[in-house]
């Protein structure tokens, strides 16, 4: 049985899914009517969601380039990959260092269906996709496919983009990140982005209700709680900041979005 056939059988199209909603925010086509309906309900409550999604991707691109160019990172572990949207982490990293190696991990059958997009590596580099759940970090780290691509004795960038707000406190999000970083050596990095209610709490209460009623519990956190994910790491300048303000490279004269439109904390930390 092919992976795409297996994936199609595993898809639940009766309820919206966060990854497919995110695809809609980015203008993709890999979603279903139920996802579009839920995403449009979010957009009605929070019109900035489209800006937030775009700026999250842009942060990922900048963080990946900075880690490759300035910190010598050659390996990435991207968890909560979502539906592939080009350029992906490996395309950004390999544009800087063609030998870069990337492991993508997600537990959504739809991502598995499109996983071949994630494995178009340069000849010098290597990429793979593993079906794994961030809620079980030990199983993820012990996946045989991961060991084939990544050398955990050498620095690895752990990429957690717009993922941890889907892990409520009851599921120990800080413990999960700590366990993942503990498996990585000195010189490794954490690149993390996280939606926040800080700039418009009533709006984000409505967004929380929409996701929760759709069967996806969420916990959007304030800045101090997002900063906790970087405990024990050396934060790169400018620290934990609104996504579009992290090492911006916006074209001269281009209008920047407002903090409330973006509503996304982002940061990069290096493990001492």
């Amino acid at each position: 049985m092919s992976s795409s056939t297996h994936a199609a059988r595993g898809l639940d199209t009766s309820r919206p899914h966060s990854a497919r909603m995110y695809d809609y925010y980015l203008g993709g086509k890999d979603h279903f009517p139920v996802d579009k309906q839920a995403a449009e309900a979010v957009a009605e409550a929070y019109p900035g969601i489209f800006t937030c999604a775009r700026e999250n991707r842009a942060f990922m691109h900048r963080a990946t380039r900075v880690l490759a160019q300035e910190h010598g990172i050659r390996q990435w572990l991207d968890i909560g990959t979502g539906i592939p949207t080009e350029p992906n982490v490996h395309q950004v990293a390999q544009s800087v260092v063609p030998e870069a190696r990337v492991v993508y991990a997600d537990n959504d059958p739809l991502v598995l269906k499109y996983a071949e997009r994630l494995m178009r590596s340069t000849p010098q580099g290597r990429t793979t996709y593993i079906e794994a759940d961030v809620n079980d970090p030990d199983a993820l780290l012990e996946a045989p496919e991961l060991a084939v691509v990544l050398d955990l004795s050498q620095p690895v960038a752990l990429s957690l983009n717009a993922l941890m707000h889907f892990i409520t406190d009851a599921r120990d999000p800080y413990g999960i990140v700590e366990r993942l970083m503990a498996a990585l050596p000195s010189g490794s990095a954490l690149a993390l982005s996280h939606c926040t209610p800080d700039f418009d709490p009533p709006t984000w209460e409505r967004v929380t209700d929409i996701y929760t009623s759709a069967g996806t519990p969420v916990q959007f956190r304030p800045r101090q709680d997002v900063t906790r994910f970087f405990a024990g790491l050396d934060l790169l300048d400018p620290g934990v900041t609104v996504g579009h303000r992290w090492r911006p490279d916006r074209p001269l004269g281009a209008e920047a979005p407002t903090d409330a439109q973006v509503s996304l904390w982002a940061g990069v930390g290096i493990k001492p």
Side-chain angles (χ1 to χ4, degrees):
M1 181 186 298
S2 70
S3 61
S4 60
T5 300
H6 171 78
R9 290 186 180 180
L11 294 181
D12 179 2
T13 60
S14 66
R15 304 181 73 174
H17 189 286
S18 57
R20 301 192 302 254
M21 291 169 66
Y22 187 62
D23 175 75
Y24 177 82
Y25 302 145
L26 289 172
K29 298 179 180 179
D30 296 316
H31 54 265
F32 299 99
V34 67
D35 307 304
K36 178 180 179 180
Q37 183 179 1
E40 288 181 342
V42 170
E44 184 175 353
Y46 165 46
I49 188 63
F50 303 103
T51 301
C52 176
R54 289 194 302 269
E55 292 298 334
N56 179 63
R57 293 290 298 179
F59 162 73
M60 179 273 284
H61 297 160
R62 297 194 304 275
T64 300
R65 286 194 295 268
V66 165
L67 289 171
Q69 292 172 337
E70 301 179 18
H71 296 274
I73 298 290
R74 299 294 182 265
Q75 304 186 107
W76 277 260
L77 173 56
D78 182 272
I79 305 176
T81 302
I83 296 167
T85 303
E86 295 187 348
N88 295 302
V89 170
H90 74 278
Q91 292 166 316
V92 177
Q94 291 176 350
S95 72
V96 180
V97 282
E99 69 272 23
R101 291 173 166 248
V102 180
V103 169
Y104 294 100
D106 205 299
N107 66 339
D108 182 2
L110 189 63
V111 181
L112 177 64
K113 181 179 179 182
Y114 294 104
E116 65 270 13
R117 292 188 198 170
L118 301 170
M119 293 185 280
R120 297 171 184 167
S121 174
T122 59
Q124 305 96 314
R126 188 84 179 266
T127 68
T128 194
Y129 171 80
I130 59 176
E131 191 170 10
D133 192 335
V134 71
N135 290 289
D136 190 352
D138 290 318
L140 190 157
L141 291 165
E142 293 165 8
E145 303 94 330
L146 185 145
V148 169
V149 175
L150 300 184
D151 177 0
L152 296 189
S153 71
Q154 298 298 314
V156 176
L158 174 63
S159 182
L160 303 176
N161 290 297
L163 172 66
M164 298 311 293
H165 47 242
F166 293 109
I167 312 299
T168 63
D169 283 349
R171 294 156 78 183
D172 191 21
Y174 301 104
I176 289 171
V177 174
E178 183 179 8
R179 172 68 187 93
L180 291 166
M181 289 304 299
L184 308 180
S186 174
S188 294
L190 171 64
L192 180 146
S193 60
H194 193 298
C195 288
T196 182
D198 283 351
F199 302 101
D200 189 352
T203 288
W204 283 89
E205 285 182 14
R206 293 196 293 275
V207 174
T208 299
D209 290 343
I210 293 168
Y211 273 96
T212 301
S213 63
T216 302
V218 289
Q219 187 167 348
F220 302 116
R221 296 179 173 92
R223 184 177 183 274
Q224 65 267 25
D225 289 351
V226 176
T227 302
R228 281 184 59 195
F229 286 111
F230 296 95
L233 305 180
D234 296 329
L235 276 167
L236 300 185
D237 290 337
V240 176
T241 187
V242 186
H244 68 297
R245 298 184 183 278
W246 196 93
R247 308 280 182 101
D249 59 1
R250 198 171 302 278
L252 188 65
E255 185 178 355
T258 66
D259 291 353
Q261 284 176 313
V262 178
S263 288
L264 182 87
W265 293 119
V268 178
I270 303 294
K271 183 174 179 177

